[in-house]
Amino acid sequence: MKKLTTAAYLKLFLHAQLQGREGLRHIADDVLCKAFQRELGLKSISAAQLSRKHNQVDPELLQQLFERLVKRILTTCPTPAARNKIKIIDSTTVALCLQKYKWATFRKTKAGIKLHMRLAFVGDQDVMPEKATITNAKKNDRTQLDELTDEPGFTYVFDRGYMDYSAFDRYGENNISFVTRLKNNACIEPIEFLEVPQESYVSEDVIVRVGSPQKKMKHLLRVVQTQDSQGNLLFLVTNRLDLTCDEISDMYRSRWAIETFFKWMKQHLRIKHFHGQSDRAVHNQVWIALIAFCLLLLVKLETKVNHSLLQLTRWLTKLLWQSYAQWLSRMKQKPSRLSKGRRRREIMIVTMNHSADLI
């Protein structure tokens, strides 16, 4: 029996991700396929071998592969200039069984990990995880902020869980911009009230100094008061003094993209049932899921098709061992009619394009 190489391991687990395999024995049984044997250079594999390899592979290796795919995607498909400078940051928690994953500290009765992500727009309508870190769920979001806001010249959009006045002062010195939501108990001192256009859905625009009397920020910020889609008041804080108040509001509304991505990821990527209980096995499976997403997105962008990633996945599942030409031919077929979901998405794209043009 040949040794299970890292390349073969990656192909096996990417295949398991695609096919939704629930256990190591299911993954081992996939090697009974002759075409898969030729691809792997293996005639058989055991669940025990898979388990050992899954716990031996260094997660940093898979993270580096993910980051290389991200660079290739960004090179392959230039992003429209208006969206190229916006990065969205947020986190999502994956719950785990405390008895099996005691290392994943979270709460007294629950374990979990937290995925911290920076999302970027690619092409005209797609988004992708551009950078990611994995921590125990107990870890505060603020601890990952510096890791995810490491490039100057961009505007980072995130929620109030990342509020850090010291970091915001550093941003003012390092050409890093941000838009976030102010906490309810924030201490603010109004400095100058700016004029709000009559047709604007912004109700107030103020230059402020943020912080308590004992510890105030050095740099002035700007607070924009607006409403969300349910009519609730939002107090947005930013160091972008050069944009209009409506442009600031539209930037924060672009956060919907990461909420949609997290929902899609939890529904369609296999990160709920894990093939190992160690931290290394769990982290490896998350990186493999993100690699699978990037590979699918890369195919979509390079072939310039408009079908959803989920539809491309369905066709790949059925045509995996057929020629690439068959899959490409199927992808190139235009839908016979627009579904309600596709029509809604196209309306949303038009809205996003309009907002992006303003920015």
Side-chain angles (χ1 to χ4, degrees):
M1 185 181 292
K2 290 186 178 180
K3 181 181 177 182
L4 178 59
T5 64
T6 302
Y9 154 81
L10 183 57
K11 290 175 182 177
L12 275 162
F13 278 81
L14 283 171
H15 183 270
Q17 175 70 219
L18 177 67
Q19 302 288 354
R21 300 297 185 237
E22 294 187 356
L24 294 174
R25 288 186 176 84
H26 292 113
I27 299 174
D29 288 343
D30 285 332
V31 186
L32 296 173
C33 171
K34 294 294 182 183
F36 205 10
Q37 288 177 7
R38 290 192 294 270
E39 178 65 31
L40 298 169
L42 296 170
K43 289 188 177 180
S44 64
I45 196 74
S46 69
Q49 282 179 295
L50 287 171
S51 178
R52 283 195 297 272
K53 190 68 175 181
H54 197 37
N55 285 283
Q56 288 171 357
V57 171
D58 188 347
E60 286 190 13
L61 178 64
L62 299 179
Q63 181 179 357
Q64 289 172 12
L65 178 56
F66 161 74
E67 290 171 353
R68 287 180 63 183
L69 281 170
V70 167
K71 288 181 180 178
R72 180 170 172 180
I73 290 171
L74 295 176
T75 304
T76 300
C77 189
T79 304
R83 292 185 189 169
N84 191 37
K85 295 298 183 180
I86 302 174
K87 311 288 185 182
I88 308 170
I89 293 172
D90 207 346
S91 69
T92 187
T93 299
V94 178
L96 299 171
C97 174
L98 182 59
Q99 292 181 335
K100 293 181 179 180
Y101 303 91
K102 294 182 179 179
W103 54 268
T105 54
F106 186 21
R107 295 173 182 163
K108 288 184 179 180
T109 59
K110 187 183 293 186
I113 58 170
K114 188 178 284 188
L115 311 184
H116 308 261
M117 289 192 184
R118 185 172 82 202
L119 217 64
F121 291 97
V122 288
D124 293 325
Q125 56 181 285
D126 292 297
V127 292
M128 62 169 290
E130 185 190 41
K131 193 165 187 178
T133 63
I134 307 172
T135 67
N136 289 359
K138 195 174 182 179
K139 203 85 166 177
N140 192 286
D141 287 345
R142 290 196 306 273
T143 63
Q144 304 303 302
L145 188 59
D146 286 345
E147 182 75 18
L148 297 173
T149 57
D150 58 345
E151 296 182 49
F154 293 96
T155 299
Y156 297 96
V157 181
F158 44 84
D159 207 359
R160 57 187 174 183
Y162 292 90
M163 186 69 63
D164 187 331
Y165 296 154
S166 298
F168 295 169
D169 263 331
R170 291 199 305 273
Y171 293 169
E173 298 163 2
N174 297 326
N175 190 29
I176 293 175
S177 302
F178 69 91
V179 177
T180 186
R181 190 153 60 105
L182 203 61
K183 285 190 173 182
N184 295 333
N185 61 352
C187 294
I188 59 173
E189 176 191 349
I191 303 295
E192 179 186 358
F193 287 85
L194 304 178
E195 185 177 351
V196 177
Q198 285 187 343
E199 302 299 322
S200 174
Y201 42 80
V202 169
S203 51
E204 195 170 74
D205 188 3
V206 192
I207 302 296
V208 301
R209 191 175 297 279
V210 178
S212 64
Q214 295 78 20
K215 190 176 181 181
K216 288 190 177 183
M217 284 185 58
K218 296 185 240 179
H219 296 83
L220 295 178
L221 297 179
R222 178 182 184 183
V223 172
V224 172
Q225 181 179 311
T226 184
Q227 294 183 351
D228 62 15
S229 56
Q230 283 77 44
N232 301 312
L233 279 179
L234 295 178
F235 294 89
L236 309 181
V237 61
T238 180
N239 59 358
R240 290 294 301 265
L241 307 182
D242 57 315
L243 300 178
T244 69
C245 56
D246 287 316
E247 288 169 346
I248 297 297
S249 180
D250 286 335
M251 266 192 174
Y252 187 78
R253 291 174 199 276
S254 68
R255 278 194 70 255
W256 69 267
I258 202 165
E259 302 292 346
T260 303
F261 173 78
F262 282 148
K263 183 178 180 181
W264 192 96
M265 182 183 71
K266 289 187 174 182
Q267 285 179 341
H268 305 298
L269 296 181
R270 307 294 171 174
I271 57 168
K272 287 186 177 180
H273 180 84
F274 290 91
H275 301 306
Q277 296 179 14
S278 70
D279 58 345
R280 179 167 286 197
V282 170
H283 288 198
N284 282 343
Q285 192 165 330
V286 171
W287 289 119
I288 288 172
L290 294 177
I291 289 168
F293 178 88
C294 287
L295 287 170
L296 281 168
L297 181 58
L298 188 60
V299 168
K300 177 178 179 178
L301 295 174
E302 288 187 342
T303 55
K304 296 180 173 59
V305 298
N306 293 322
H307 298 290
S308 68
L309 291 182
L310 185 57
Q311 185 61 70
L312 298 186
T313 304
R314 292 192 188 109
W315 289 332
L316 177 58
T317 303
K318 299 301 180 183
L319 301 172
L320 184 60
W321 301 114
Q322 306 302 318
S323 67
Y324 174 70
Q326 284 186 258
W327 188 34
L328 181 61
S329 175
R330 191 66 189 85
M331 287 191 290
K332 289 292 186 179
Q333 290 184 18
K334 294 183 179 179
S336 56
R337 64 184 182 88
L338 292 181
S339 66
K340 290 182 179 179
R342 188 179 295 274
R343 288 198 296 271
R344 283 196 299 270
R345 186 164 66 252
E346 291 194 350
I347 292 170
M348 187 176 293
I349 291 167
V350 171
T351 304
M352 283 288 293
N353 284 336
H354 176 67
S355 298
D357 290 341
L358 291 175
I359 298 170

